Amino acid sequence: MTSFHSKARSAMLSLVLAGSCAFSGVSFAFGETPPAGVAIKEFSLLDTASDVIGIADFKPEGYKDGHFKLRLSLSQKTVINAVVLRTTDAYGEDNYHGMWRTNRVTDGWLLGLVQNKGTETEIINPGFRKDVKEPVGEFQGELTFDLYASNNGYIKESQYFVLEIETQQGTVESKPVRFEKPMVVDGTTATPTPAPAPSTDGVTPDPAPAPSTGQTPSVPAPAPAPSIPTPAPAPETNGPEIQVFFKGQELQFSETQPVIKDGSTLVPFRKLFETLGFTVSWVENGAVRQAVGTKDGLTIKLTIDSTTASVNDQNVALEVPAQIIGGSTMVPLRFVAENSGYQVKYAKENNIASIRIEEGTAGAPAETPSQPSTPAPTQPPAGTPSQLTVKPYIVHGYVRDAAGKPIEGASVWADNTLLYDSNLLGVTDASGYYKLDLPSLATTWRMGGEYSRQADGRTYRFDLVPEVDQPFAGNTGAVRNMTWKNDVGYLFVYPDFSSFDGDNLPMVELKDLEMTLAPVSSALDSGAGKTIVKRIGRMEYEGLGIDKIPLGRYKATIRWMPQGLEPMPLLIRVEGEGDFAESVEFDFSEKRGYLDDDYMMEFEVQYP
């Protein structure tokens, strides 16, 4: 593995993002010589049935562990310096969802190693090797290990893992393995490798001190936990029973049933698309998997676990992504139906949720052929956005927030792509509706808009983008609905490495920093008034910090929480502004940096 200490002051991003280059099969860390006589014969994920280790010690902590199997071949006596488990994508590239390791080099959780010796087992590392130079041990021959990684929330379906064996001659990696059911056994299926109990008398001892040499600790063989078959867990019954009707006919789901997640109804992909008349296909390109439906010039693409869908090659935001549940591809019903021209009605009674998909209805008032000299919104037709119909020389639609509430007073414009600076302007009314009458010109139009909100004497401005962001001809007209979702900001955090005491303290990992944001004044959404405490992590942009913070004014403090040491408050300031202090007040009143459509703030931190 790469040592990050020498690079800390020269490359902040490489400190966190640097890793090994993985290829198919067994691969080696970039720039290293393959270690002779070291081969990973098998690396597999067995189950998530046991709880035998915590994040730093070989003690149960209340969370089920990922239980892996390793068969390792060492042709000669070999010193293993460390064993590292990483979450990756399908190509073995880090996705920063978790790291487990035997030696406390950078960040991560304890990776527990148990060696199988015939009828006996031996715990190799009761805790972290806190000295990075202290090896795990010296081994030779055909070896079998059980590996235990405390579940941090990412030992789950669709996750890939790579194992690294670091020796004095170099590092060998496994190919990525993927969590696939039925791996969650919870004691209900046959014969996973027994998990070692940390003690034989029901009392968990303190971890044995790590040896200063390459010898493995001599501990009594732990007794395997008793295996008592239990009934398979019953399906969750907390949510309502879901019934889906298409044009009055109830749909029957033979395998996976519809579910409600985060307020959105998810249904099996193929059943929904084929019911709506689509031809379906499945596209898999490396780690990217897409459910695709096409019909009559309309193509909808839903990428698994992505909150961005595609409608006729235009990106559209999703509240809840398509995802794999119980082995079935599940997609958001309302999104697919409404983008197919249908309307969706939801009703709930006596713990039964009824969802009806019906044909979209016109319902719009008759249009007069005359065109007003000043385009202005008219009274909206009754119903929902999906009920609007396309009419020649008319563009209309709704502007709403993420919760579906109408936005009044949003500026909307139709941009004439033929003539420069020739826009038609309008403003949404109390129902969020707008309508612009287009002149009889042989040209196409694109829609856009802007929405402003006031908070504590500041003005926040947001761009509005149509859900279907495509040009259209004036003689055909169009429906262009817009949803405002941008009410959050992004915080970037950079360390002032010149202040860090690398000789007496461990290397600072940005992921070990915790930021507290105490509201000073109200924000723009439901997050107002809430204190936010979050670890620094990788954001959706290329950088480290905290994203999706409700806009407003905050007082920020930050502390360093390295493994094995007491938390240490750090000094902080807005980047390049003023002196470092124990706290700093800031707001998102102006856009900063290169994020044109989002609000952000940048901070520097240093030792007290």
Side-chain angles (χ1 to χ4, degrees):
M1 291 292 288
T2 304
S3 172
F4 295 108
H5 290 264
S6 62
K7 298 183 179 180
R9 290 174 172 80
S10 61
M12 180 274 292
L13 285 177
S14 67
L15 179 146
V16 179
L17 304 181
S20 300
C21 294
F23 306 92
S24 60
V26 176
S27 58
F28 305 95
F30 180 77
E32 293 186 350
T33 302
V38 179
I40 296 176
K41 295 295 186 181
E42 178 185 349
F43 171 57
S44 58
L45 176 56
L46 298 181
D47 59 70
T48 55
S50 55
D51 174 23
V52 298
I53 71 166
I55 61 173
D57 298 299
F58 215 113
K59 297 178 180 179
E61 63 172 355
Y63 297 98
K64 296 298 176 69
D65 307 323
H67 177 196
F68 298 80
K69 180 180 180 181
L70 168 65
R71 288 198 304 115
L72 186 64
S73 178
L74 304 174
S75 62
Q76 56 190 2
K77 286 186 177 181
T78 302
V79 174
I80 295 179
N81 291 334
V83 182
V84 178
L85 176 69
R86 297 185 287 113
T87 56
T88 72
D89 60 18
Y91 300 103
E93 295 294 331
D94 284 330
N95 61 12
Y96 307 99
H97 287 161
M99 179 181 291
W100 296 260
R101 54 191 315 130
T102 55
N103 294 49
R104 188 67 188 185
V105 179
T106 54
D107 73 322
W109 294 267
L110 173 68
L111 180 64
L113 271 62
V114 178
Q115 185 177 3
N116 294 317
K117 299 180 176 180
T119 59
E120 298 181 354
T121 57
E122 180 180 358
I123 299 175
I124 300 300
N125 61 325
F128 275 118
R129 301 288 202 272
K130 295 184 179 180
D131 183 347
V132 298
K133 298 179 181 180
E134 182 182 343
V136 173
E138 186 177 59
F139 303 89
Q140 183 178 8
E142 303 298 317
L143 310 170
T144 301
F145 296 89
D146 287 298
L147 281 58
Y148 295 92
S150 181
N151 190 353
N152 67 339
Y154 285 97
I155 300 179
K156 61 182 182 180
E157 203 169 353
S158 80
Q159 181 61 65
Y160 289 86
F161 300 89
V162 162
L163 188 72
E164 299 177 356
I165 309 295
E166 301 178 13
T167 73
Q168 294 181 343
Q169 292 75 39
T171 298
V172 61
E173 292 183 356
S174 73
K175 65 180 182 180
V177 301
R178 183 181 174 191
F179 187 114
E180 292 179 339
K181 288 189 174 181
M183 288 183 178
V184 179
V185 296
D186 290 334
T188 63
T189 61
T191 61
T193 305
S199 67
T200 58
D201 57 3
V203 179
T204 304
D206 291 331
S212 59
T213 66
Q215 300 298 319
T216 58
S218 177
V219 298
S227 177
I228 302 175
T230 58
E236 295 182 7
T237 57
N238 294 333
E241 177 186 346
I242 301 172
Q243 298 175 339
V244 180
F245 298 85
F246 178 66
K247 297 181 180 179
Q249 183 70 35
E250 184 174 1
L251 302 185
Q252 301 299 321
F253 300 94
S254 57
E255 297 180 358
T256 305
Q257 297 298 307
V259 297
I260 296 177
K261 295 194 70 175
D262 299 326
S264 294
T265 302
L266 302 178
V267 298
F269 150 64
R270 182 175 295 275
K271 181 70 175 181
L272 177 62
F273 271 79
E274 290 184 345
T275 297
L276 300 181
F278 285 86
T279 299
V280 301
S281 60
W282 177 260
V283 177
E284 190 158 348
N285 183 12
V288 177
R289 297 169 293 164
Q290 287 185 325
V292 182
T294 57
K295 74 166 184 178
D296 301 331
L298 174 64
T299 299
I300 297 177
K301 300 178 182 178
L302 295 161
T303 302
I304 301 303
D305 297 328
S306 173
T307 54
T308 300
S310 170
V311 179
N312 283 348
D313 295 325
Q314 297 296 316
N315 290 339
V316 183
L318 293 172
E319 290 298 310
V320 176
Q323 53 200 273
I324 307 295
I325 300 177
S328 296
T329 301
M330 307 290 282
V331 298
L333 180 150
R334 180 179 293 275
F335 174 84
V336 174
E338 290 188 347
N339 279 277
S340 305
Y342 296 91
Q343 67 178 93
V344 178
K345 296 180 179 179
Y346 177 92
K348 181 180 176 184
E349 185 176 357
N350 297 329
N351 208 39
I352 297 178
S354 297
I355 302 171
R356 298 183 180 274
I357 306 172
E358 303 290 347
E359 291 281 5
T361 56
E367 304 290 342
T368 60
S370 61
Q371 299 176 6
S373 57
T374 303
T378 66
Q379 193 65 25
T384 63
S386 62
Q387 292 177 298
L388 299 180
T389 57
V390 176
K391 292 177 179 274
Y393 295 107
I394 298 290
V395 57
H396 58 161
Y398 287 90
V399 178
R400 306 198 174 199
D401 63 19
K405 297 179 181 179
I407 292 179
E408 181 180 7
S411 298
V412 179
W413 57 77
D415 180 13
N416 183 330
T417 60
L418 176 64
L419 302 175
Y420 176 74
D421 197 21
S422 178
N423 297 340
L424 296 178
L425 305 178
V427 179
T428 57
D429 62 16
S431 66
Y433 177 76
Y434 75 91
K435 181 174 76 71
L436 300 178
D437 296 294
L438 306 174
S440 299
L441 295 175
T443 183
T444 57
W445 303 81
R446 293 197 78 116
M447 297 302 298
E450 183 180 87
Y451 175 49
S452 299
R453 292 190 66 174
Q454 301 290 326
D456 300 314
R458 303 177 184 89
T459 299
Y460 296 86
R461 293 183 174 86
F462 307 95
D463 294 329
L464 295 173
V465 179
E467 295 171 1
V468 179
D469 189 15
Q470 293 180 313
F472 58 91
N475 61 349
T476 62
V479 173
R480 292 293 184 262
N481 298 315
M482 306 182 193
T483 301
W484 171 65
K485 297 180 180 180
N486 187 348
D487 59 353
V488 294
Y490 298 78
L491 306 180
F492 290 77
V493 178
Y494 314 124
D496 177 6
F497 285 121
S498 64
S499 72
F500 291 123
D501 182 5
D503 296 329
N504 300 311
L505 289 169
M507 188 62 208
V508 169
E509 277 287 331
L510 291 180
K511 294 179 182 180
D512 287 334
L513 300 183
E514 178 187 82
M515 178 175 278
T516 298
L517 303 172
V520 175
S521 60
S522 61
L524 294 179
D525 72 351
S526 59
K530 296 180 180 178
T531 296
I532 299 170
V533 180
K534 284 190 176 183
R535 286 288 188 106
I536 304 303
R538 190 179 187 188
M539 299 187 292
E540 63 184 22
Y541 295 100
E542 290 188 1
L544 293 174
I546 302 175
D547 55 9
K548 300 180 180 178
I549 301 298
L551 297 181
R553 186 170 183 82
Y554 294 90
K555 178 180 178 181
T557 57
I558 196 163
R559 61 178 185 165
W560 180 34
M561 304 177 68
Q563 176 70 29
L565 297 177
E566 291 296 321
M568 177 184 295
L570 300 181
L571 301 180
I572 187 172
R573 71 175 182 180
V574 174
E575 185 190 32
E577 296 182 7
D579 297 327
F580 285 94
E582 295 179 355
S583 65
V584 62
E585 287 193 10
F586 72 96
D587 59 54
F588 294 94
S589 58
E590 295 181 0
K591 297 182 181 181
R592 296 168 57 91
Y594 59 86
L595 302 181
D596 293 336
D597 298 325
D598 296 287
Y599 288 88
M600 63 174 284
M601 187 61 70
E602 297 170 289
F603 298 95
E604 295 174 292
V605 297
Q606 67 170 211
Y607 276 135

